[in-house]
Amino acid sequence: MRFWLMKSEPTDVSIDDLAALPEQTVAWYGVRNYQARNFMRDQMQIGDGVLFYHSNCAAPGIAGIAKVASTPYPDATQFDRNSKYFDPKATLETPRWFNVDVQLVQKIELVSLPELRAHAELERMRTLQRGNRLSITPLDPSEWRFITERLIR
DNA sequence: GCCAACGTTGGC
DNA sequence: GCCAACGTTGGC
């Protein structure tokens, strides 16, 4: 079992949006970065722990606990001409982008970015590193435990 | 809206 | 394969 931090812009899919979806589950569509894709395609397994992070918004931070809820499959938006995620180089035979489904476990009181930065235990977290932009990053089990056991009210 | 950091593109 | 130009991310 692995642990992941996954960023979502709340104007796109917020934690409340996720909570309102059938099965409280969403396809993690729209990833167009190879490293992040590879995490989903090659490393994620059903049941992996996910921290659902709100990014590019007024109050960035961890907004919920979730889990990986499917094996990887082709991201439908790459084939959709009307989607901003359409990829003309992708074909049904050779899809380029993959996603998993993510299911909400629990909405939490926001653990803000400044709070995350305040703990020495988390200083090596990828998301907190200078210049990091990757939307999906692995978490050390120790980081997962610290956040889920110590920072969540 | 600014801008630092980083990934991708494409000419050569 | 190099690398300048460009686009995107995301905190502030």
Side-chain angles (χ1 to χ4, degrees), chain A residues 3-7 51 53 62 125 127 135-139:
Chain A
F3 303 100
W4 308 94
L5 183 144
M6 300 177 77
K7 297 178 187 173
L51 298 179
Y53 181 94
I62 297 165
M125 253 178 74
T127 306
S135 65
I136 298 175
T137 51
L139 290 167

Side-chain angles (χ1 to χ4, degrees), chain A residues 12 16 27 42 50 52-53 55 59 62 65 67 73 100 102 104-105 112 116 127-128 134 136 150-151:
Chain A
D12 188 1
D16 290 329
D42 305 334
V50 172
F52 189 102
Y53 181 94
S55 70
I62 297 165
I65 309 295
K67 63 184 179 184
Y73 59 94
V100 296
V102 170
L104 181 65
V105 172
S112 72
L116 293 171
T127 306
L128 304 184
L134 203 54
I136 298 175
R150 302 278 305 280
L151 300 188

Side-chain angles (χ1 to χ4, degrees), chain A residues 3-99:
Chain A
F3 303 100
W4 308 94
L5 183 144
M6 300 177 77
K7 297 178 187 173
S8 182
E9 302 192 9
T11 53
D12 188 1
V13 180
S14 72
I15 195 75
D16 290 329
D17 295 333
L18 177 59
L21 286 169
E23 309 291 323
Q24 302 190 329
T25 298
V26 68
W28 208 264
Y29 61 85
V31 168
R32 294 295 180 268
N33 169 283
Y34 289 104
Q35 245 187 301
R37 177 204 69 180
N38 292 348
F39 286 140
M40 288 197 284
R41 190 190 61 181
D42 305 334
Q43 294 194 32
M44 284 191 181
Q45 300 202 309
I46 291 175
D48 281 2
V50 172
L51 298 179
F52 189 102
Y53 181 94
H54 279 173
S55 70
N56 196 19
C57 58
I62 297 165
I65 309 295
K67 63 184 179 184
V68 174
S70 78
T71 52
Y73 59 94
D75 178 338
T77 62
Q78 71 193 304
F79 309 121
D80 178 0
R81 290 193 166 275
N82 297 319
S83 169
K84 69 172 177 172
Y85 298 116
F86 176 67
D87 183 345
K89 294 182 181 163
T91 65
L92 286 168
E93 293 73 27
T94 55
R96 182 182 287 205
W97 305 109
F98 291 81
N99 61 219

